[in-house]
Amino acid sequence: MNRNNQRDDIEKNRFYSDFSFIFFYGLIFIVPFVNITTGFKAAVTGGLIIVGEVSFWVGGLILGSEVVKKYRSFFNTDA
């Protein structure tokens, strides 16, 4: 596998990881408008948060340590 194909695969995986993370957290904003009980809304919201976090970290594992280091340096406030 040459360098360009590897880079394309990383970018594609990063897109899917970001998309799934944003998708699950975005669904949280829709939950209050759905006609279900309040308790079920709370359960669905909690489930979406858990699934969103899991998808984010699984994506980080798939993408590798380089991408995670870049992500961490982006939020590092010590610089």
Side-chain angles (χ1 to χ4, degrees), residues 20-29 31 41-57:
S20 64
F21 178 72
I22 292 168
F23 176 74
F24 290 119
Y25 274 95
L27 286 178
I28 292 172
F29 294 107
V31 171
K41 286 180 186 180
V44 168
T45 300
L48 287 171
I49 290 171
I50 291 169
V51 171
E53 285 294 319
V54 168
S55 70
F56 174 76
W57 289 109

Side-chain angles (χ1 to χ4, degrees), residues 16-77:
Y16 289 134
S17 174
D18 291 347
F19 175 76
S20 64
F21 178 72
I22 292 168
F23 176 74
F24 290 119
Y25 274 95
L27 286 178
I28 292 172
F29 294 107
I30 297 172
V31 171
F33 303 106
V34 178
N35 190 16
I36 54 178
T37 64
T38 304
F40 193 66
K41 286 180 186 180
V44 168
T45 300
L48 287 171
I49 290 171
I50 291 169
V51 171
E53 285 294 319
V54 168
S55 70
F56 174 76
W57 289 109
V58 167
L61 290 173
I62 291 171
L63 292 172
S65 63
E66 278 186 39
V67 176
V68 173
K69 285 178 188 176
K70 263 189 187 178
Y71 180 76
R72 281 184 154 175
S73 69
F74 179 72
F75 288 106
N76 188 3
T77 58

